[in-house]
Amino acid sequence: MAETTSENRVSIARLILVPAVICLGVTILRLVGELQHWNEFWFSRAAGGGGSPIGVSWLTLIFAAYFGYKLAKAGETPKSYGKVILSAIVGILILVGAAFLAGQPPIPTWKMAVLFALTIVAIVVQYPAWPKLFKTLLAFGYAVRIPVAILMYFAIRGQWGTHYDVLPPDFVDTGFWSTYMQIGFLPQMILWIAFTVVLGGLFAGIAAAIAGRSKPAVQAASGAGA
C-alpha cells in the first residue's frame, strides 16, 4: 500500500490512503447497522459506542503498527526506537492524568480547557522522537476523524438515535452547538487525535523496532549466501 519517491522517502498520502478508506467504510457500515437496529453486540447505540467490535478505534492501532513497520522497512527510522516508545508512554501518562483531573461529567469549563490543553501537550511531545511517524499518524488521524465529526453534526442535529448522537450519562444539554462541540467536534479533533498519535505511536514504535531488528538479520543472511 505504501510507495516511495525516487529518494526512497515514503509518501504519507499514499501510505494512509487505503487505511483511511477502509476506516471510512467501517464508519459507514457502523452507521447503517445502528440505523437499521442490527445486532447490538456489533452495532451498539450506547453512548461512547458500547465497546462494539465494529469501529475504527481498534483499527487505528493496527494501522499505526503497519505505518511504523512500513516506515522502518523503507529506512525512514528514528534515532532510537526506545525514545519513540518512551514518548508514547509519557503521552499516555499525561492523558491518564488529564482524564483523572477532568473527572466525571458534568465537567466545569476550566477543567475542560485544562483537559484539552494537556491532551495537546501529549500529542506534541511525540514529534521529536520520530517526526515522520508523527506526521503520518496526525494525517491519518484527521483523515479518519473529520468524516466522523461531520457525521456527528448531522446525527446530533437530527437526533438519529445512534451512538454518534446519544448523550453521555449526566450530560447537560445546553443547545445544539454546545452539545456538538463538547461530544462531537472537540473530542474528534483533539481527544481521538491524541489516541491515534500517542497510543498509535506506541504500537508503531514496537512494530518498527521489530522490523528494524529483522532487517539486519535478513541482510546478513543474504550476504552470507552471496
Side-chain angles (χ1 to χ4, degrees):
M1 282 190 278
E3 294 185 13
T4 59
T5 66
S6 57
E7 297 179 351
N8 199 39
R9 295 187 62 82
V10 176
S11 165
I12 292 177
R14 293 184 181 275
L15 180 61
I16 71 172
L17 177 59
V18 173
V21 170
I22 292 173
C23 287
L24 178 60
V26 170
T27 297
I28 294 173
L29 174 63
R30 177 70 182 271
L31 174 64
V32 172
E34 291 186 35
L35 290 174
Q36 296 297 318
H37 292 192
W38 291 348
N39 188 290
E40 275 288 322
F41 174 78
W42 299 100
F43 301 93
S44 173
R45 289 174 287 140
S52 171
I54 305 295
V56 297
S57 299
W58 64 272
L59 275 179
T60 294
L61 301 180
I62 292 176
F63 284 131
Y66 166 77
F67 298 148
Y69 179 84
K70 294 298 288 187
L71 288 173
K73 283 297 186 181
E76 296 203 44
T77 56
K79 292 181 179 179
S80 168
Y81 292 119
K83 287 184 179 180
V84 175
I85 296 172
L86 179 60
S87 294
I89 293 174
V90 170
I92 291 171
L93 292 176
I94 293 174
L95 293 177
V96 171
F100 179 79
L101 174 64
Q104 297 296 319
I107 303 174
T109 302
W110 74 269
K111 280 191 175 183
M112 186 72 71
V114 173
L115 169 64
F116 285 118
L118 289 175
T119 301
I120 292 173
V121 170
I123 295 173
V124 172
V125 297
Q126 307 307 309
Y127 179 81
W130 195 354
K132 186 59 175 279
L133 175 66
F134 177 88
K135 294 175 184 177
T136 300
L137 292 176
L138 191 67
F140 176 66
Y142 280 115
V144 172
R145 293 298 166 179
I146 287 176
V148 177
I150 295 173
L151 168 60
M152 292 185 73
Y153 172 88
F154 291 103
I156 295 171
R157 174 70 78 180
Q159 298 182 347
W160 291 352
T162 67
H163 91 277
Y164 296 107
D165 61 284
V166 172
L167 301 182
D170 302 320
F171 183 86
V172 179
D173 187 352
T174 56
F176 169 76
W177 281 110
S178 176
T179 297
Y180 175 63
M181 292 300 292
Q182 291 184 65
I183 73 171
F185 185 81
L186 290 176
Q188 293 298 325
M189 294 297 96
I190 299 179
L191 298 182
W192 281 109
I193 297 302
F195 176 87
T196 302
V197 174
V198 177
L199 224 56
L202 178 62
F203 278 66
I206 293 173
I210 295 172
R213 287 178 178 274
S214 65
K215 192 172 182 179
V218 172
Q219 291 176 340
S222 61

